[in-house]
Amino acid sequence: MGLVRNLDMRSGDSLEGLLSDKTKMRQQKGASSRVVTLLTCLQFMFAVYATFLLYYMSPSIDLRSKPDFSWTTRIAHQWKQFIIPPHVVSRYNQEANSVVRAESTQPSSPSEVCEHEKIDFVQKKSNDAVMIKLKTELYQEVLDFQSKSFGAETLSQLMAMKSKWDLRGPNKPKITVILNHFKRKTLCAQLDSLLGQTLPFHHVWVLSFGSPNENSLKKIVHRYNDSRISFISSSYDFKYYGRFQLALQTEADLVYIVDDDMIPGKKMLQMLAHVAGTDKYKNSVLGSIGRILPFRQKDSSFPSYRKFRSKEAGLYLPDPAYNITANRIVQVDFLSSSWFMSAELVKTLFIETPFTFMTGEDLHLSYQLQKYRNAASFVLPVDPKDKDTWGDSEHRLAYVSETTVIFKDVVQVRDDQWWRALSTGYVTQWAAMYPQKIDVLFYAHSVDEVKALAPLLLKFSSTVGKKAYIVVSGGNFCPCEDAAAALKWPKTVCKEKRFKIMDLGVGALSGNSNSEVPVVQAVYASMKGLIKIHNPSLVITVADTDSNVKKALKMATEANTNSSTLVLLPKSSVSKVLWMADIRSTALPNWNRMKIYVNIITQTRANSLARLLKSVSDAYYLGEEVPITFNMDSKVDEATLKLVNSFNWPHGPKILRRRIIQGGLIRAVSESWYPSSDDDFGLLLEDDIEVSPYYYLWIKYALLSYHYDPEISLPELSSISLYTPRLVEVVKERPKWNATDFFKHIHPNTPYLHQLPCSWGAVFFPKQWREFYVYMNMRFTEDAKQNPVQIPRSRTNGWQASWKKFLIDMMYLRGYVTLYPNFPNQTSFSTNHMEPGAHIATKENVIKHNKADFEVPLLKQDFKNFLPNGKMPAATRLPSLNLFNQPVSLKGLKAAGAKLGQDILKCNQTEIVIVNHETGVPSHCTRF
């Protein structure tokens, strides 16, 4: 049929035209009928001929036995003069013969069409001693780190590992090899090498996308005449990603994508397949050439990966110029020129839209594989004496012809690309070798969130010794430039190669999708990597951010083995916790660890309770869960019950507890709370107390500063008071006392430690509260005079039915203290309104109480600025007072208790009682 088309194109004659001319000359009806009849017969005979021809050409026929078609040929010759004039047949035969002659001149073997790349130069070698030293040192550092971290095997060790692929048995892997060609003349060398592999390939696909050499490449493939080798071409140049797109179609187990500058040794497929079948490297991409990306410089910036005379610029492996060879398997940041992997891994390349389609597919592949599949990239070692083990048996081609790096603008594009990868969570070899430690990694999904977080971010950035970065979603959600403008930073920070603000480019994955899955996946995958690189103590975002973002951040922080803590701050609270930047870095990870239980003791003072509940509701809780419990004695009145039942508490569970038998205040308070873990803290509030909006912040700040910092030891601290006393409570005269005046020689507003517990708003620690339960159980007597503990000069010796009296005794005997606030005019986080109740204004209480001596102002503004130097002082700088408001060291407090010698266990005067903090039971005596 092709010959007929050629004929039509050259002469302009058609079969239909010739028949029409005959009809016009003869002008006879009978003749026309005969022609039609003969034509019909000829068509029938050709149909029969074609049927037999197709039969003998089918795969089931042995083509080595030549079928005889002479009978059809004879019939055709007998009829042809009735159909086609002799002069047309003659011209047809001449053209057919010319075609045959032309075909007879075509080469019959690949060698006659093969072209070979001319390599008339020697391998480049450096004589720069400084560069050789820098590169060699860095390579050795990388190799030492990897050897210690996860092992770096030699080639013989790799081949001795157990592999899923039986390379000599029936369980051989199917490998599709993809050769991408444009201008080089290496196809024949590659095909010869592949045909000689010790492990045969399944298919070879030769690709020609927009290549000027398409015809010659096609001829070469055809002359090899191997059904396993296919030629695939397109006039459109799919650039560097086209071969990977095509690799998605393979049905093989493994795929080997090879650049036209790589001529693999004949053992390469066997080596690659074996290593890819091991448990250790099955989730990896393997190759022969790779790069290790730049390391951070002393000025905290990163250089170009092509920077000359710079150790931090990274490595090219192997690098014959500096005598660097791969004698062990090396993890790299990306591979170049060849990639061997499971066919399943190829699709990972297309999860995110590439930075550019013009270059960088090598980096994008390794980046995406690590980010979404936790897959690494490795350069295989070689046997330097056996070229068959080399992935590039002619390394000069690959080394000299790095087409992607010889132009300045391409270098800039690739620099931008790897920086974007690193700043969106790519854990490079630098990041693995030198794990960072920062205090906070902020995340903002919108510009409004950037503005909300700005005060805290800027506070951290300006605090000496603190380090914090911000991550923005990027794309259409929150571009880096807009975030920088909101922070009043120059837009150049988005271009600098230093960590400060990082743009995730979430739109590269989600695009215009309305599904939440791309957002969760993009934020999670990037933040997981960034958290692994920087190891932040806290990851902070706003509490009302997108719910899918919360899910992603939660998963990312939980994936970090170094325990980063996710903090969700209400926007209104951000400016209230600027003191967070002053907490020691070692304590920050414990931000979410404590749980504070609000315990309210009430009975018949509904109006007082309403005032307390309003103040508790108006406080700042930082979005944290705070359970609240109402403890009511059996004689609780109706008004109180209605108020408690109708009270709405949005910050956590609300629990109601009511006694059947009246217990009195001593039982109502002491039994109101019991810790379920060492991170539970009980805030006890009687209903005539009122609290400051900042009370919760004070508790949290104090706990993080003095209890949850592993580098601070203050075991004597047993509670935190919200209240600042105006009297010396335990002496008979009850003199007035002003902490601001007392400590003015240190700092007028320094917090201080006091041996006196507070009953007008205090948080009690779990270990000491368990201890107190046991102590009170063992020492409780209805008659106070029978109590064996009599503290010299203390008015508490005669207190009756007071839970506080027993707590004072225990703290005195064992040297425990309470932390107190100290602000101008005794302004506090709680106040006592001194309303009639179990003790105040009762007939049994002969002591008169002046309300002005107990009622203090409530703090209505941020307390941070009142503190010494605007922050909590170091634990070693906290002054301490004994029960009588006299300055005594913590050791002196223990000595006084030991000297009294009235504890449950009898110890000598240099020892105090130690308890089991899980049970609170006294265990033994120990020297202090």
Side-chain angles (χ1 to χ4, degrees):
M1 292 180 68
L3 295 176
V4 174
R5 285 197 296 270
N6 290 339
L7 177 66
D8 293 343
M9 292 170 63
R10 296 182 183 184
S11 66
D13 293 335
S14 66
L15 188 60
E16 291 82 352
L18 293 172
L19 293 174
S20 178
D21 290 342
K22 283 178 176 283
T23 304
K24 288 180 180 178
M25 288 188 302
R26 296 180 181 180
Q27 297 293 318
Q28 295 179 5
K29 184 176 181 179
S32 298
S33 299
R34 188 178 68 174
V35 170
V36 172
T37 302
L38 292 177
L39 180 59
T40 302
C41 292
L42 183 61
Q43 288 175 329
F44 172 75
M45 298 306 297
F46 269 97
V48 174
Y49 180 89
T51 300
F52 278 91
L53 182 63
L54 289 173
Y55 169 75
Y56 280 102
M57 289 180 69
S58 69
S60 62
I61 298 299
D62 187 357
L63 295 179
R64 289 174 294 184
S65 60
K66 298 181 180 179
D68 184 9
F69 294 112
S70 58
W71 60 276
T72 54
T73 304
R74 288 194 297 271
I75 294 175
H77 277 296
Q78 292 174 5
W79 288 96
K80 71 178 181 180
Q81 64 267 24
F82 298 106
I83 307 303
I84 305 174
H87 72 280
V88 175
V89 174
S90 175
R91 185 167 58 202
Y92 170 85
N93 288 335
Q94 291 174 3
E95 293 185 356
N97 290 335
S98 67
V99 170
V100 171
R101 286 194 299 273
E103 289 184 348
S104 66
T105 63
Q106 295 291 325
S108 58
S109 68
S111 60
E112 297 183 30
V113 294
C114 281
E115 297 178 294
H116 297 280
E117 197 76 19
K118 186 177 181 182
I119 309 176
D120 54 359
F121 52 86
V122 296
Q123 177 67 58
K124 180 181 177 183
K125 292 285 185 179
S126 174
N127 57 5
D128 188 330
V130 174
M131 281 291 287
I132 293 174
K133 182 175 183 294
L134 292 176
K135 296 295 184 182
T136 304
E137 286 179 353
L138 181 57
Y139 176 60
Q140 195 58 49
E141 289 174 15
V142 171
L143 206 58
D144 289 346
F145 169 77
Q146 294 186 5
S147 297
K148 294 175 183 177
S149 300
F150 49 84
E153 297 85 1
T154 63
L155 180 59
S156 59
Q157 289 172 334
L158 287 171
M159 298 307 290
M161 294 171 68
K162 184 178 179 180
S163 176
K164 67 178 287 189
W165 301 117
D166 181 7
L167 305 182
R168 293 183 176 85
N171 189 30
K172 292 181 180 179
K174 293 181 179 180
I175 303 173
T176 293
V177 183
I178 299 178
L179 307 175
N180 192 61
H181 275 263
F182 192 70
K183 285 187 176 181
R184 295 195 195 286
K185 302 174 181 178
T186 55
L187 179 56
C188 290
Q190 288 182 324
L191 292 176
D192 289 342
S193 173
L194 292 171
L195 288 167
Q197 290 289 313
T198 53
L199 175 66
F201 57 81
H202 182 61
H203 282 124
V204 171
W205 295 348
V206 179
L207 311 185
S208 171
F209 294 148
S211 170
N213 298 341
E214 179 180 339
N215 290 332
S216 61
L217 294 170
K218 185 175 183 180
K219 288 179 182 178
I220 292 171
V221 172
H222 287 175
R223 288 302 173 267
Y224 270 85
N225 195 27
D226 190 317
S227 60
R228 297 174 301 165
I229 304 174
S230 303
F231 181 76
I232 303 170
S233 66
S234 171
S235 59
Y236 180 78
D237 186 359
F238 289 93
K239 296 290 184 183
Y240 303 100
Y241 285 85
R243 50 192 164 172
F244 292 95
Q245 290 172 302
L246 200 66
L248 296 172
Q249 301 295 319
T250 183
E251 297 178 354
D253 304 301
L254 302 162
V255 61
Y256 187 30
I257 301 172
V258 186
D259 270 356
D260 55 6
D261 55 9
M262 299 289 284
I263 303 172
K266 294 185 178 181
K267 295 179 182 178
M268 205 62 206
L269 289 184
Q270 178 184 349
M271 291 164 47
L272 290 166
H274 178 85
V275 176
T278 63
D279 286 339
K280 184 174 181 179
Y281 296 105
K282 63 185 178 183
N283 187 41
S284 304
V285 55
L286 309 173
S288 303
I289 298 175
R291 271 197 177 275
I292 291 177
L293 287 168
F295 285 44
R296 189 160 65 178
Q297 302 176 123
K298 291 182 179 179
D299 66 352
S300 297
S301 68
F302 289 79
S304 168
Y305 79 113
R306 298 288 292 176
K307 184 179 180 180
F308 185 65
R309 280 207 165 199
S310 170
K311 182 178 180 179
E312 291 81 10
L315 287 173
Y316 174 81
L317 294 172
D319 199 338
Y322 303 108
N323 295 319
I324 295 176
T325 57
N327 52 9
R328 291 180 178 273
I329 191 168
V330 183
Q331 184 175 351
V332 293
D333 293 324
F334 67 90
L335 296 166
S336 296
S337 300
S338 67
W339 303 265
F340 187 92
M341 70 194 103
S342 162
E344 174 67 18
L345 292 179
V346 178
K347 66 182 70 172
T348 314
L349 177 65
F350 302 100
I351 292 179
E352 289 183 15
T353 303
F355 184 75
T356 174
F357 284 99
M358 299 303 293
T359 184
E361 83 295 349
D362 42 11
L363 171 60
H364 191 65
L365 174 64
S366 293
Y367 166 50
Q368 296 288 279
L369 283 172
Q370 185 198 89
K371 187 172 182 179
Y372 293 105
R373 299 294 291 266
N374 200 27
S377 304
F378 293 92
V379 169
L380 278 191
V382 300
D383 181 349
K385 298 179 180 179
D386 185 0
K387 268 199 170 186
D388 285 344
T389 66
W390 297 11
D392 54 337
S393 56
E394 188 42 81
H395 192 77
R396 287 176 292 175
L397 284 172
Y399 188 82
V400 174
S401 58
E402 286 185 273
T403 56
T404 57
V405 297
I406 58 177
F407 301 110
K408 183 178 179 180
D409 56 340
V410 177
V411 172
Q412 182 61 51
V413 169
R414 288 176 69 85
D415 269 339
D416 291 343
Q417 184 186 19
W418 70 254
W419 172 250
R420 177 174 174 179
L422 179 59
S423 60
T424 54
Y426 188 30
V427 184
T428 64
Q429 294 311 296
W430 164 79
M433 292 172 65
Y434 299 100
Q436 304 299 292
K437 180 59 185 175
I438 67 173
D439 295 288
V440 181
L441 193 61
F442 290 89
Y443 180 83
H445 203 65
S446 67
V447 176
D448 285 342
E449 292 180 13
V450 174
K451 294 176 180 178
L453 293 169
L456 190 55
L457 168 63
L458 297 176
K459 171 61 177 175
F460 267 98
S461 300
S462 61
T463 301
V464 176
K466 287 296 192 290
K467 191 177 290 185
Y469 308 136
I470 184 168
V471 181
V472 296
S473 57
N476 296 327
F477 298 103
C478 182
C480 180
E481 291 76 10
D482 293 352
L487 293 166
K488 298 181 180 179
W489 289 349
K491 293 185 178 181
T492 53
V493 298
C494 297
K495 303 296 182 183
E496 295 175 349
K497 290 182 177 62
R498 66 178 75 236
F499 295 116
K500 189 169 186 178
I501 182 170
M502 290 158 271
D503 185 331
L504 297 189
V506 170
L509 179 62
S510 60
N512 295 321
S513 172
N514 291 324
S515 170
E516 73 280 2
V517 174
V519 173
V520 173
Q521 186 177 20
V523 175
Y524 164 69
S526 293
M527 288 298 292
K528 181 184 71 171
L530 287 172
I531 291 171
K532 186 174 183 179
I533 293 170
H534 299 289
N535 291 298
S537 296
L538 302 178
V539 176
I540 299 178
T541 192
V542 295
D544 62 349
T545 192
D546 184 273
S547 60
N548 298 307
V549 171
K550 289 182 190 177
K551 293 176 187 175
L553 293 176
K554 185 175 185 295
M555 291 189 295
T557 52
E558 290 175 350
N560 184 27
T561 56
N562 292 327
S563 301
S564 295
T565 299
L566 176 63
V567 176
L568 303 173
L569 285 177
K571 291 178 180 177
S572 60
S573 297
V574 171
S575 61
K576 307 294 188 303
V577 291
L578 300 185
W579 46 262
M580 187 188 292
D582 298 320
I583 296 173
R584 289 163 59 98
S585 300
T586 49
L588 279 175
N590 296 314
W591 180 270
N592 289 341
R593 192 168 160 185
M594 76 282 292
K595 193 165 189 177
I596 299 166
Y597 290 77
V598 177
N599 301 274
I600 296 176
I601 298 95
T602 188
Q603 183 170 246
T604 59
R605 296 186 294 201
N607 291 335
S608 300
L609 177 61
R611 180 184 56 214
L612 171 60
L613 294 182
K614 183 182 186 306
S615 68
V616 168
S617 298
D618 290 342
Y620 303 107
Y621 294 100
L622 309 180
E624 299 178 358
E625 182 180 83
V626 181
I628 190 168
T629 300
F630 291 89
N631 297 275
M632 298 169 286
D633 222 328
S634 63
K635 295 180 181 179
V636 60
D637 60 18
E638 183 180 356
T640 300
L641 281 171
K642 286 183 177 180
L643 177 59
V644 168
N645 285 325
S646 62
F647 177 67
N648 178 46
W649 182 248
H651 307 291
K654 182 180 81 169
I655 302 169
L656 308 185
R657 298 174 60 190
R658 182 180 178 183
R659 281 182 170 273
I660 296 175
I661 300 174
Q662 189 77 4
L665 187 60
I666 188 169
R667 292 179 178 84
V669 174
S670 59
E671 297 177 7
S672 65
W673 169 76
Y674 193 84
S676 60
S677 79
D678 287 345
D679 294 310
D680 289 354
F681 297 84
L683 171 63
L684 306 188
L685 299 173
E686 293 187 45
D687 54 15
D688 62 342
I689 293 171
E690 187 179 2
V691 297
S692 157
Y694 291 86
Y695 89 87
Y696 187 85
L697 305 183
W698 160 254
I699 296 171
K700 194 168 185 74
Y701 192 5
L703 285 172
L704 288 165
S705 297
Y706 304 125
H707 183 74
Y708 276 107
D709 189 340
E711 294 185 2
I712 290 178
S713 177
L714 193 57
E716 299 85 359
L717 185 61
S718 64
S719 58
I720 299 170
S721 173
L722 308 184
Y723 179 82
T724 306
R726 286 180 166 177
L727 300 175
V728 180
E729 186 180 355
V730 298
V731 297
K732 184 177 180 180
E733 299 79 12
R734 291 191 304 165
K736 293 185 183 298
W737 189 78
N738 188 315
T740 302
D741 292 338
F742 190 84
F743 294 113
K744 63 184 178 182
H745 65 288
I746 301 174
H747 188 283
N749 299 129
T750 181
Y752 62 95
L753 303 174
H754 195 182
Q755 204 169 22
L756 178 73
C758 178
S759 58
W760 297 320
V763 169
F764 295 94
F765 288 18
K767 292 179 181 179
Q768 286 80 2
W769 194 255
R770 294 190 197 104
E771 188 176 341
F772 169 59
Y773 253 62
V774 174
Y775 178 87
M776 186 173 174
N777 177 265
M778 299 178 74
R779 285 290 172 84
F780 179 76
T781 59
E782 294 292 343
D783 184 359
K785 294 180 180 180
Q786 295 180 10
N787 192 312
V789 179
Q790 298 293 312
I791 301 173
R793 299 181 295 112
S794 176
R795 189 169 63 89
T796 62
N797 294 332
W799 286 3
Q800 305 235 4
S802 172
W803 67 274
K804 188 175 180 179
K805 181 259 189 303
F806 293 98
L807 185 56
I808 289 173
D809 290 351
M810 188 191 83
M811 291 179 65
Y812 186 88
L813 292 170
R814 298 174 185 176
Y816 290 137
V817 293
T818 297
L819 177 72
Y820 279 82
N822 172 26
F823 300 121
N825 196 30
Q826 287 86 41
T827 303
S828 301
F829 298 101
S830 69
T831 187
N832 179 7
H833 290 288
M834 297 298 291
E835 294 169 342
H839 292 310
I840 305 299
T842 61
K843 294 180 180 179
E844 293 81 7
N845 195 341
V846 297
I847 299 175
K848 297 198 181 286
H849 295 88
N850 185 351
K851 193 172 184 180
D853 291 336
F854 298 92
E855 199 170 42
V856 297
L858 288 175
L859 197 69
K860 299 295 185 180
Q861 59 180 312
D862 193 345
F863 59 89
K864 178 180 180 295
N865 295 329
F866 291 115
L867 295 170
N869 300 314
K871 60 183 178 181
M872 289 282 203
T876 55
R877 299 181 68 85
L878 289 172
S880 56
L881 306 177
N882 67 7
L883 193 60
F884 308 99
N885 290 48
Q886 298 168 333
V888 179
S889 69
L890 295 177
K891 185 175 181 181
L893 296 178
K894 292 187 178 74
K899 183 179 179 181
L900 187 61
Q902 296 177 358
D903 209 330
I904 293 172
L905 299 182
K906 294 299 182 181
C907 304
N908 63 42
Q909 293 191 0
T910 60
E911 296 178 329
I912 59 173
V913 172
I914 296 300
V915 303
N916 182 328
H917 284 300
E918 289 187 6
T919 62
V921 176
S923 172
H924 61 279
C925 300
T926 188
R927 293 178 63 87
F928 55 87

